[in-house]
Amino acid sequence: MDIRLAEARDITQLIEMRWDNTIEFDESKKDASYEEFEKECQTFLENALNSNQWFIWVAEDNKRIVSHIYIELIHKVPRPGRVTHPFAYMTNVYTIPEYRNGGLGSNVLSTINNWIKENKYEFVIVWPSDEATNYYKKNGYVHCTEPMEYYPS
């Protein structure tokens, strides 16, 4: 099993996994146009992989991506008297069903946690589903005060 940062050659698999992840947890989306989604996701992934803002971690088994976690760096406005480091937003955490519950997701998350420490990112924020809360807890994540939200009408 190879845990690494995604590359351009991974885009097709990442698109398929995003589709599968969405359909698995929301079957009402299965009637959406795959072609439209594919085009939008392709553009997003090409831009993300060519930026210093997005980092997509994958676990690969025999050239097949079986798990991934997306990280977006959020840069903060500098403050006098301290060095300002970005924080990380974690999203799109997914492992294909046949690779679940064997520790793979925790191995990917551990790799990311070490990367976070090495790069001195201030913290990681993730909004887990109710089902995923224990996964994060067992990997050192804690509940924080809920952020405030604004939805424009």
Side-chain angles (χ1 to χ4, degrees), residues 4-7 14 44-45 47-58 68-75 86-93 108 112 115-116 119 121:
R4 61 175 176 78
L5 286 169
E7 301 171 2
L14 292 170
F44 170 83
L45 289 168
N47 290 334
L49 291 175
N50 288 316
S51 76
N52 289 321
Q53 183 176 355
W54 283 95
F55 298 86
I56 302 168
W57 288 88
V58 299
H68 60 60
I69 297 177
Y70 288 52
I71 300 288
E72 181 181 19
L73 295 184
I74 309 297
H75 294 272
F87 67 92
Y89 166 61
M90 182 183 299
T91 189
N92 198 24
V93 177
V108 176
I112 291 170
W115 176 76
I116 293 290
N119 286 284
Y121 299 135

Side-chain angles (χ1 to χ4, degrees), residues 1-97:
M1 189 72 57
D2 185 25
I3 298 172
R4 61 175 176 78
L5 286 169
E7 301 171 2
R9 66 184 165 101
D10 301 319
I11 288 177
T12 299
Q13 287 187 74
L14 292 170
I15 292 169
E16 292 169 0
M17 289 178 75
R18 180 64 174 160
W19 178 268
D20 292 345
N21 179 7
T22 301
I23 301 305
E24 179 180 346
F25 296 102
D26 186 356
E27 285 193 27
S28 70
K29 304 290 187 195
K30 69 181 176 190
D31 294 327
S33 166
Y34 185 83
E35 291 75 24
E36 288 178 18
F37 163 75
E38 181 180 35
K39 182 178 177 182
E40 180 182 11
C41 199
Q42 174 90 25
T43 299
F44 170 83
L45 289 168
E46 287 172 355
N47 290 334
L49 291 175
N50 288 316
S51 76
N52 289 321
Q53 183 176 355
W54 283 95
F55 298 86
I56 302 168
W57 288 88
V58 299
E60 183 180 53
D61 188 22
N62 294 316
K63 299 186 180 185
R64 179 181 181 202
I65 297 174
V66 297
S67 185
H68 60 60
I69 297 177
Y70 288 52
I71 300 288
E72 181 181 19
L73 295 184
I74 309 297
H75 294 272
K76 296 168 44 179
V77 177
R79 266 189 205 282
R82 66 180 270 204
V83 175
T84 305
H85 297 283
F87 67 92
Y89 166 61
M90 182 183 299
T91 189
N92 198 24
V93 177
Y94 183 67
T95 299
I96 63 173

